């Protein structure tokens, strides 16, 4: 169960990159199998599509909402460069490769084999399918409506205990909050007291969003079905692989963001220097 991570992430776009082909090792094949069976590959594609949508929404609300034909040559050049930087930094294949490398470096073949065993079970496959379906349908409005419905028909204490346990085992909301704080800190400077208050707010938002998303994904399961599914997390090997998968996804997104930020700063600096030379 690693799908919910994709629902807490930010903005950018997919492009393809070419890499020299080498025969994968047994462990690499096992990692690839885990990422496929767990739905992580699908989740990361979803992240990429959301990033693209977020960027284009922001562009439409900015001064770039004009058509390319209405832009000056300099504006068109700037837009194309931003798109190129974004595609290069948030390349889906590159992010997936980073996540896979992290998972391979932090697991053993024994742990991966245990995870593959659980993820290959028919009932687990069915529930992962529900997670993927929920990921594709859980828009902001849908989740808001679902949250309002929960106020009328509250989840059972058992169900709340299970989703809380899954989040704590995978550390999903914690890593989402960490990523949000890093992105905020990259663009905004604030004193330690303000950052501490912001951290508390983001922690709660990430936690609430993760729990809501889990409840939505499992809404059609009975408490008993959900309880039986959650038993896989009692296997320490499986729980470790789940946790490392979540971390790997966050490492990949952070790496992509850092690369994008560095390229953007370099480009802006060069543009300012060029503009400065033209003014003389």
């Amino acid at each position: 169960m690693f799908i919910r991570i994709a629902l807490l992430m930010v903005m950018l776009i997919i492009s393809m990159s070419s890499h020299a082909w080498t025969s994968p090792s047994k462990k690499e094949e096992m990692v690839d199998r885990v990422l496929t069976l767990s739905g992580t590959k699908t989740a990361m594609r979803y992240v990429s599509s959301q990033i693209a949508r977020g960027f284009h929404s922001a562009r439409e609300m900015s001064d770039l909402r004009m058509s390319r034909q209405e832009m000056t040559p300099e504006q068109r050049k700037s837009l194309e460069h931003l798109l190129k930087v974004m595609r290069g930094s948030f390349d889906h294949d590159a992010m997936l490769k980073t996540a896979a490398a992290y998972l391979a470096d932090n697991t053993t073949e024994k742990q991966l084999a245990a995870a593959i065993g659980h993820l290959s079970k028919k009932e687990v496959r069915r529930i992962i399918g529900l997670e993927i379906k929920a990921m594709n349908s859980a828009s902001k409005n849908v989740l808001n409506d679902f949250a309002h419905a929960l106020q009328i028909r509250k989840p059972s204490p058992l169900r709340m205990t299970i989703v809380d346990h899954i989040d704590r085992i995978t550390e999903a909301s914690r890593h989402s909050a960490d990523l949000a704080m890093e992105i905020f800190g990259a663009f905004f400077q604030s004193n330690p007291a303000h950052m501490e208050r912001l951290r508390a707010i983001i922690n709660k938002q990430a936690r609430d969003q993760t729990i809501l998303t889990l409840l939505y994904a499992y809404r059609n399961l009975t408490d008993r079905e959900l309880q039986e599914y959650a038993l896989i997390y009692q296997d320490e090997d499986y729980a470790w692989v789940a946790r490392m998968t979540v971390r790997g996804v966050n490492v990949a997104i952070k790496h992509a963001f850092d690369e994008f930020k560095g390229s953007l700063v370099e480009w802006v600096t060069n543009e300012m220097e060029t503009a400065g030379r033209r003014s003389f």
Side-chain angles (χ1 to χ4, degrees):
M1 204 328 281
F2 319 130
I3 295 299
R4 60 207 165 280
I5 294 304
L7 299 171
L8 298 173
M9 295 297 94
V10 241
M11 43 188 156
L12 291 127
I13 199 167
I14 303 174
S15 77
M16 301 304 294
S17 63
S18 58
H19 303 284
W21 186 87
T22 56
S23 178
S25 67
K26 177 183 177 182
K27 190 173 187 181
E28 289 172 334
E29 290 178 343
M30 294 176 78
V31 165
D32 185 75
R33 186 72 173 151
V34 167
L35 295 177
T36 300
L37 290 173
S38 67
T40 302
K41 288 185 176 182
T42 302
M44 293 190 77
R45 288 191 184 93
Y46 179 81
V47 171
S48 295
S49 67
Q50 291 301 99
I51 282 169
R53 187 174 301 148
F55 170 74
H56 288 296
S57 295
R59 182 166 69 87
E60 288 170 3
M61 292 186 291
S62 72
D63 290 337
L64 294 177
R65 58 177 170 265
M66 65 186 76
S67 68
R68 276 180 165 80
Q69 288 74 25
E70 296 174 308
M71 292 180 185
T72 65
E74 289 76 14
Q75 287 173 325
R76 284 197 296 271
K77 181 180 178 181
S78 293
L79 177 59
E80 294 303 327
H81 184 83
L82 283 174
L83 287 169
K84 182 178 179 181
V85 169
M86 202 170 294
R87 289 174 182 141
S89 299
F90 287 84
D91 173 77
H92 168 261
D93 289 345
M95 286 197 296
L96 187 59
K97 184 177 180 180
T98 300
Y102 185 91
L103 184 58
D105 289 342
N106 291 278
T107 56
T108 65
E109 289 188 9
K110 173 180 174 293
Q111 291 168 331
L112 293 169
I116 291 170
H118 286 297
L119 292 169
S120 299
K121 294 176 182 176
K122 182 178 179 180
E123 184 61 14
V124 174
R125 301 296 311 133
R126 181 177 79 87
I127 294 176
I128 288 175
L130 294 177
E131 294 170 359
I132 294 173
K133 185 177 180 179
M135 179 186 66
N136 290 325
S137 63
S139 65
K140 183 178 180 180
N141 289 338
V142 167
L143 287 178
N144 284 340
D145 290 343
F146 182 70
H148 289 146
L150 291 180
Q151 298 302 313
I152 300 172
R153 186 175 181 180
K154 295 185 180 298
S156 69
L158 174 60
R159 182 168 295 254
M160 292 301 297
T161 298
I162 293 171
V163 295
D164 176 78
H165 177 68
I166 291 175
D167 179 49
R168 293 186 186 281
I169 287 290
T170 60
E171 300 177 342
S173 60
R174 196 195 90 184
H175 289 299
S176 294
D178 288 346
L179 184 64
M181 284 297 296
E182 289 197 31
I183 292 174
F184 182 88
F187 289 106
F188 302 97
Q189 298 298 320
S190 186
N191 64 51
H194 287 165
M195 293 301 286
E196 187 175 341
R197 287 197 295 271
L198 178 64
R199 177 76 206 208
I201 292 171
I202 289 179
N203 281 348
K204 184 179 186 308
Q205 289 178 341
R207 175 81 172 154
D208 291 347
Q209 182 70 17
T210 300
I211 295 301
L212 178 63
T213 301
L214 285 171
L215 290 171
Y216 177 76
Y218 303 138
R219 67 195 184 281
N220 294 323
L221 295 177
T222 65
D223 283 358
R224 181 175 179 178
E225 287 174 325
L226 185 57
Q227 187 175 29
E228 290 176 353
Y229 169 63
L231 289 176
I232 62 178
Y233 289 96
Q234 293 183 3
D235 182 334
E236 293 184 1
D237 286 337
Y238 178 84
W240 179 260
V241 172
R243 193 175 302 124
M244 292 305 103
T245 301
V246 169
R247 289 185 187 179
V249 170
N250 278 273
V251 166
I253 294 174
K254 181 183 180 301
H255 177 78
F257 174 76
D258 287 343
E259 186 176 276
F260 171 69
K261 182 181 69 174
S263 298
L264 190 59
V265 168
E266 181 181 358
W267 174 69
V268 170
T269 301
N270 291 337
E271 288 294 301
M272 291 177 67
E273 289 176 350
T274 300
R277 286 194 296 269
R278 287 173 182 166
S279 64
F280 286 99

